[in-house]
Amino acid sequence: GLGPKGGEMVAEALLKSSNKLEVISVPRNRLENDGFIAFAKVFNQMKSFKVIEMYQNFCKKEGMAAVIQSLSSNEDLHTVHIHDNWLTDQETIDILCDYLMNAKSLTSLNLSDCKIKGINVFQIIRALSLNPHKTIESIYLNYEEIERTKTF
């Protein structure tokens, strides 16, 4: 895979480009936090993405927070697949929920296997239900840490 440095190099090249990309798919590249932070800058600058697929990249708090914050820069974004990374920090969950409550075009969200605790899964579902645009068609939360007695 690209690794963090390779991800930074690709992101730097994209930042210098005048192209407006609509799809980015960089799964299984071990981008980690540094690679995610670099791509978040691309998402913020281009503002043209419709599909973002960045799953299985061993990304944790800082990288996830950066990418999730950058999603709102892309109003036509309809697919976000960032599963099999870490989404365990309350601050990052709050950033995600803010995005989900206001996303205008999101139809598909995959957060499976992100080690999300039960109450945070509930927060995510609630945020989606509060979105006035009601565009979501599919959400994947497989393999999360949900226990009915602690969650609801």
Side-chain angles (χ1 to χ4, degrees):
L2 290 170
K5 294 296 179 203
E8 288 175 331
M9 290 172 56
V10 170
E12 285 175 29
L14 291 172
L15 287 169
K16 294 176 184 173
S17 171
S18 61
N19 293 331
K20 294 290 185 184
L21 299 179
E22 293 184 358
V23 176
I24 187 101
S25 183
V26 288
R28 299 183 184 110
N29 274 291
R30 193 86 183 198
L31 295 175
E32 302 178 11
N33 284 332
D34 291 342
F36 266 51
I37 290 167
F39 275 102
K41 293 174 186 172
V42 173
F43 304 152
N44 279 324
Q45 179 178 305
M46 286 193 180
K47 302 179 191 308
S48 58
F49 286 92
K50 295 181 180 182
V51 176
I52 294 176
E53 295 179 335
M54 301 182 75
Y55 52 90
Q56 291 181 338
N57 275 294
F58 205 71
C59 185
K60 296 184 179 179
K61 177 186 174 181
E62 295 83 7
M64 289 292 276
V67 163
I68 292 167
Q69 283 177 327
S70 72
L71 299 178
S72 60
S73 297
N74 298 271
E75 286 192 16
D76 294 329
L77 183 62
H78 58 77
T79 302
V80 176
H81 291 185
I82 53 176
H83 52 287
D84 204 5
N85 290 293
W86 274 265
L87 194 50
T88 57
D89 175 75
Q90 187 61 52
E91 182 181 341
T92 309
I93 294 287
D94 291 343
I95 294 167
L96 174 64
C97 289
D98 286 343
Y99 167 71
L100 295 176
M101 284 190 286
N102 297 297
K104 294 180 180 174
S105 303
L106 187 66
T107 59
S108 180
L109 176 66
N110 192 338
L111 301 173
S112 294
D113 206 17
C114 283
K115 297 142 195 79
I116 304 170
K117 300 285 184 201
I119 193 67
N120 292 333
V121 171
F122 178 75
Q123 284 180 270
I124 290 166
I125 299 300
R126 186 167 190 280
L128 285 167
S129 74
L130 295 173
N131 182 312
H133 306 290
K134 306 288 186 220
T135 57
I136 196 76
E137 295 173 6
S138 59
I139 180 168
Y140 303 95
L141 292 163
N142 305 345
Y143 312 111
E144 303 306 352
E145 299 178 21
I146 302 171
E147 293 182 28
R148 184 172 177 80
T149 57
K150 293 181 182 178
T151 304
F152 301 100

